[in-house]
Amino acid sequence: MCAIRLRELGVKSVIFDTGKRGPGGRASSRKFEFSDSEDKFSFTADHACQFFTAQTPTFKRFVQRWENEGYVKRCFENPSDLSLIDLTDSEISHEKPTARVPRLSQESLGIPGFVGVGGMGALWERLGESLEIHTDTWVASARRHDGTWRLFKDSRGEKELCPEREFSAIVISHCGKCAERLMRNANAPAPHRILRARFGPKQPSPHILQIQSVFVLVAAV
């Protein structure tokens, strides 16, 4: 999103993404293909972000454009989505024989939900067609010198990414701990101080960001 907005403002940017199949990060999809003696079939699973909402005026304008271009579509609009799922005792436990679990709907969300047409990953593949993206690329370290930035594949700063180019600014879209590691030896003490983070269930310090694990289960039925 940052690169798209910068492009609209006339600022050229370069994206380095660790994804092997394409950009997207937490909004990625994976295609599964199966075959038997007679037929072949496939399906796409969004293995992180399942849907998203648009709440700010700026993001709403982006999403409206994507909807008009057929990149995204609204979800939870079907009346059947307002129904309740009956789960039997064999599906939950013998101590609680039945339960009623409400499905997500626009009524429960309060605002429209959106999904990518062809999967969440397809949205970012389409949006990235006009951007310079280097996939399967890990930025291990960054160095600031004379007001510009240089990026490296290794932590020692010996294997430079795009050695013929210098960057006036960098935007880190990563978890706190990886962002802190990038800034640790970057000659940028101020951003490094605010990026200090630790994994764990308890807050280590008021000045350190607490990060907890997120577990995602993907199931195809």
Side-chain angles (χ1 to χ4, degrees):
M1 288 301 305
C2 179
I4 294 171
R5 181 58 179 152
L6 287 173
R7 181 190 60 194
E8 292 181 346
L9 296 173
V11 179
K12 187 176 182 180
S13 62
V14 181
I15 299 174
F16 298 97
D17 196 298
T18 58
K20 294 182 179 181
R21 289 177 296 275
R26 295 297 184 267
S28 300
S29 304
R30 182 171 296 184
K31 187 175 182 179
F32 298 87
E33 297 182 345
F34 302 89
S35 62
D36 54 26
S37 57
E38 298 180 357
D39 300 309
K40 291 183 178 181
F41 57 95
S42 64
F43 69 91
T44 300
D46 297 323
H47 51 83
C49 175
Q50 307 290 306
F51 71 95
F52 64 91
T53 60
Q55 302 185 46
T56 65
T58 300
F59 191 52
K60 285 180 179 179
R61 288 194 294 270
F62 277 110
V63 176
Q64 183 63 61
R65 188 187 313 164
W66 301 342
E67 189 176 15
N68 293 339
E69 294 175 350
Y71 293 173
V72 301
K73 62 181 179 180
R74 300 191 179 213
C75 56
F76 315 128
E77 290 191 309
N78 193 311
S80 64
D81 291 336
L82 299 175
S83 64
L84 297 177
I85 307 172
D86 287 326
L87 301 178
T88 65
D89 57 344
S90 61
E91 293 172 307
I92 302 181
S93 70
H94 293 289
E95 297 178 358
K96 194 173 183 180
T98 60
R100 295 172 67 80
V101 181
R103 291 183 178 180
L104 285 171
S105 65
Q106 281 200 32
E107 185 175 274
S108 61
L109 288 172
I111 51 178
F114 297 89
V115 294
V117 175
M120 295 296 289
L123 167 63
W124 301 110
E125 288 176 2
R126 291 165 177 164
L127 295 176
E129 290 175 351
S130 58
L131 300 172
E132 182 180 347
I133 302 176
H134 298 258
T135 57
D136 196 14
T137 303
W138 178 267
V139 180
S141 60
R143 301 287 188 274
R144 187 177 66 169
H145 180 69
D146 290 338
T148 61
W149 290 89
R150 298 167 64 190
L151 307 178
F152 301 88
K153 301 178 183 179
D154 63 313
S155 58
R156 295 182 179 181
E158 297 175 351
K159 300 177 181 179
E160 189 170 0
L161 287 164
C162 301
E164 73 284 357
R165 304 166 77 168
E166 292 182 335
F167 302 98
S168 57
I170 59 174
V171 177
I172 303 173
S173 178
H174 218 310
C175 74
K177 197 169 184 179
C178 293
E180 185 271 335
R181 185 168 60 243
L182 275 175
M183 292 293 99
R184 189 176 299 164
N185 300 311
N187 191 27
H192 176 248
R193 280 195 298 270
I194 63 175
L195 288 172
R196 289 187 300 169
R198 294 291 185 275
F199 280 104
K202 296 182 179 180
Q203 179 70 36
S205 164
H207 306 292
I208 297 178
L209 175 66
Q210 176 190 355
I211 303 175
Q212 294 182 340
S213 299
V214 176
F215 298 92
V216 178
L217 172 65
V218 177
V221 180

